[in-house]
DNA sequence: CAGTATCCGCGGAGATACTG
DNA sequence: CAGTATCTCCGCGGATACTG
């Protein structure tokens, strides 16, 4: 996210690479989420990493942050239009990953559980 | 490439992430290439990195290595069927990256120049 | 030609403690 | 609740030199 690219593919992978980015985007694709919700749904993520990734996704224009400025704090994250435009890409990655997992016998722990919208 | 995945998307990104993987695949999509050709076409890649990435892609079953066992050495790399099955994914990444580059004004140095097949 | 071998630095990532 | 602030470790990735 800083240098020059020789191929558009590099740019996309750069934006989606790393350990948590795509999973966060997958969750936000389902709807608006608060910081604490995301943290609970990403087992193993540290607060530092989650905050860092969210800030990066925000800087990249893929995620929008809404601070309600209340006490106690209430901050929501959602996809921007740009973030939503990634849907076909995420879908292609999802489909190929699913087939690959089946072919190779790699287990997938939990296929992106939905947030329970109540 | 070692742990468990919570989403098929993670698996795919894990396989395609990193600095050189997708570019190597993009070149091999055009046809068979020798080690030296690839090295010349990836400005800035070190021999260690190129070898390492090729070995990983081979271990992942995306690339096949053919050693002609001659002196001087002659080694060729090509996509496997599995590697070719990535075409739609690479295309989706390519398309989105192209649009994103246009929207954001990010320059793309050289949109994956073809190997000159003479 | 197609690689190994080795050394090294930077930044990603985790753990822990603290705050408006 | 939603974060900062540090400290630290580890491994990717680059540079350089050597080889069958």
């Amino acid at each position: 996210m800083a240098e020059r690219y020789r191929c558009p593919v590099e740019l996309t992978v750069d934006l989606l690479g790393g350990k948590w980015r795509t999973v966060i985007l997958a969750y936000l694709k389902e709807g608006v989420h608060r910081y604490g919700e995301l943290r609970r749904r990403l087992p193993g993520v540290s607060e530092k990493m989650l905050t860092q990734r969210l800030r990066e996704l925000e800087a990249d224009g893929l995620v929008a942050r809404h601070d309600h400025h209340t006490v106690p704090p209430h901050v929501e994250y959602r996809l921007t239009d740009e973030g939503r435009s990634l849907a076909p890409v995420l879908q292609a990655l999802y489909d190929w990953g699913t087939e690959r997992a089946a072919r190779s016998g790699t287990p997938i722990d939990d296929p992106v559980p939905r947030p329970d919208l109540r």
Side-chain angles (χ1 to χ4, degrees), chain A:
Chain A
M1 232 95 59
E3 349 135 33
R4 297 179 72 78
Y5 299 102
R6 306 206 92 238
C7 170
V9 174
E10 276 187 279
L11 192 161
T12 310
V13 169
D14 215 16
L15 242 38
L16 296 183
K19 195 166 183 183
W20 301 105
R21 295 233 239 285
T22 52
V23 199
I24 294 173
L25 291 172
Y27 276 117
L28 293 182
K29 223 177 65 157
E30 307 299 332
V32 178
H33 283 296
R34 299 181 61 170
Y35 179 84
E37 290 175 334
L38 288 172
R39 188 180 42 183
R40 263 174 274 114
R41 292 188 175 281
L42 298 172
V45 76
S46 70
E47 296 170 354
K48 191 186 77 171
M49 282 301 109
L50 180 54
T51 301
Q52 217 170 83
R53 293 293 90 81
L54 284 169
R55 291 288 192 278
E56 290 170 0
L57 291 170
E58 197 191 353
D60 292 336
L62 302 176
V63 162
R65 193 184 109 105
H66 290 295
D67 191 335
H68 289 224
H69 295 293
T70 55
V71 178
H74 182 129
V75 180
E76 289 175 343
Y77 293 93
R78 72 190 68 204
L79 291 188
T80 60
D81 287 344
E82 179 93 0
R84 267 186 290 278
S85 79
L86 272 169
V89 177
L90 291 171
Q91 191 61 48
L93 294 172
Y94 186 96
D95 292 343
W96 192 86
T98 303
E99 292 168 25
R100 165 86 178 189
R103 277 196 297 269
S104 66
T106 305
I108 305 284
D109 275 6
D110 200 350
V112 186
R114 309 294 163 107
D116 48 345
L117 315 158
R118 61 187 91 189

